[in-house]
Amino acid sequence: RARLKPWRNYAVAETLLSQATALANRAAAQSRERSRRLESLARSEHAALAAELTSYRQSLDGSLLHLNAERSYAESSLKLQVAQRLLAKGEFRAARRELERGRHSRRRIGAAINERLSEEAPYLAQWRRLVDETLAESRARGGTAVVVDKSDRRTYLIKAGRVAASYVSDFGYNASRQKTYAGDGAPPEGRYHVTHVKQRSKYYKALEISYPSPEDRARLDRLKREGRVPRSARIGGLIEIHGEGGRREDWTMGCVALSNRDMDSILRHV
């Protein structure tokens, strides 16, 4: 247009505009494809982190705090929520950055679990021995016993050395730990006998067990000397297998809770 009309030639401009249009269309197509890939990756990563956190919550609820992992869980959950909002806005790259931060917090939960497993490894043989002794005694006498498996979240009724029934169980809010003192929210680990059968109880019905044992008392005394528990800690007691359970969460103060229907079942045998 800067030239006088007779000398105006739009061919070059048309060629450049055609090339620019083709490049723009190609760039737009590449951008859409990259956006689709980013969205797919971000949503896949979001789903994976959400599933991992759900798994941790279901399997470790009540133990996350004791594992010093509750904060890491909360941080990872927050990043997951932020990523969800960014996904809704189409900001996929930013969402992936938040998800990576969420995975970093989740990895700290895994590290805490691995540390706990290393701590528990020396006790595995002891726990297996307790179960084997109980099964052997029940088999030899033809009698009835109860095995509570905290990792499996179940209580087993044993008759003549064989499993006669299995009950879903709720535990104390600190379920992953061995009970040490009153108020720690942990169910005890050991071999006990039933001291009282309660047909009426605060929690429907109950079997009171012989906690604390001499070993439990000795452990608390040792931990006090080592400064690992307060000197004022008391051993506690009144540990029961009782009703009002079946909630599929850890809510007791250290007891084992079954549903009322399962308590009726176990009381017919114990």
Side-chain angles (χ1 to χ4, degrees):
R1 289 206 179 106
R3 296 174 181 177
L4 295 175
K5 269 191 175 182
W7 291 276
R8 289 178 186 175
N9 183 349
Y10 294 102
V12 174
E14 288 174 353
T15 300
L16 292 173
L17 283 171
S18 177
Q19 292 174 352
T21 300
L23 287 169
N25 288 337
R26 191 185 312 163
Q30 290 174 347
S31 179
R32 286 192 295 270
E33 179 59 28
R34 181 170 296 180
S35 180
R36 282 194 291 269
R37 286 201 303 269
L38 281 172
E39 180 180 12
S40 177
L41 282 170
R43 293 194 181 280
S44 176
E45 291 167 357
H46 182 276
L49 181 58
E52 288 169 350
L53 290 177
T54 298
S55 176
Y56 279 136
R57 178 54 78 190
Q58 290 176 346
S59 61
L60 295 173
D61 209 4
S63 304
L64 285 168
L65 183 62
H66 203 85
L67 281 164
N68 295 321
E70 187 70 56
R71 180 176 178 180
S72 297
Y73 181 90
E75 289 173 353
S76 190
S77 296
L78 178 60
K79 297 302 180 185
L80 188 70
Q81 294 170 20
V82 172
Q84 179 65 48
R85 289 196 292 269
L86 290 169
L87 281 171
K89 294 179 180 179
E91 298 178 22
F92 308 125
R93 197 181 299 278
R96 294 191 70 200
R97 285 196 295 268
E98 291 299 317
L99 289 167
E100 176 54 37
R101 296 184 182 116
R103 288 194 296 273
H104 180 73
S105 297
R106 187 264 299 153
R107 284 192 285 270
R108 288 201 295 269
I109 303 174
I113 293 170
N114 289 334
E115 183 179 351
R116 171 60 56 80
L117 291 174
S118 297
E119 291 176 0
E120 290 186 344
Y123 298 101
L124 292 175
Q126 174 188 341
W127 294 333
R128 172 48 56 191
R129 176 179 55 79
L130 292 173
V131 174
D132 288 344
E133 289 175 355
T134 301
L135 293 174
E137 184 174 325
S138 170
R139 190 179 302 112
R141 297 185 179 184
T144 303
V146 174
V147 172
V148 178
D149 186 339
K150 293 201 292 183
S151 63
D152 199 27
R153 312 189 73 76
R154 285 191 171 271
T155 295
Y156 296 94
L157 176 68
I158 309 297
K159 299 190 75 174
R162 294 181 177 275
V163 175
S166 170
Y167 311 108
V168 175
S169 306
D170 303 338
F171 296 112
Y173 58 84
N174 213 357
S176 66
R177 280 295 194 187
Q178 157 70 303
K179 188 165 191 64
T180 304
Y181 56 88
D184 63 3
E189 294 166 4
R191 198 154 177 243
Y192 306 93
H193 60 270
V194 174
T195 58
H196 294 91
V197 177
K198 300 179 180 179
Q199 293 293 338
R200 291 180 180 273
S201 157
K202 178 180 179 181
Y203 298 106
Y204 185 62
K205 299 177 181 180
L207 298 169
E208 186 177 342
I209 68 170
S210 58
Y211 174 89
S213 67
E215 292 83 2
D216 295 321
R217 295 183 184 278
R219 183 189 312 107
L220 179 58
D221 290 340
R222 186 185 77 252
L223 293 175
K224 284 183 178 181
R225 289 193 302 272
E226 295 172 355
R228 296 168 63 185
V229 298
R231 299 287 296 179
S232 60
R234 296 177 296 103
I235 190 67
L238 199 62
I239 299 298
E240 300 176 335
I241 300 173
H242 60 61
E244 302 296 343
R247 308 179 191 184
R248 296 183 181 271
E249 60 180 280
D250 293 329
W251 57 273
T252 77
M253 294 300 292
C255 294
V256 178
L258 311 182
S259 70
N260 292 350
R261 179 180 178 180
D262 288 344
M263 277 306 301
D264 287 334
S265 170
I266 202 169
L267 281 172
R268 286 196 289 269
H269 304 279
V270 179

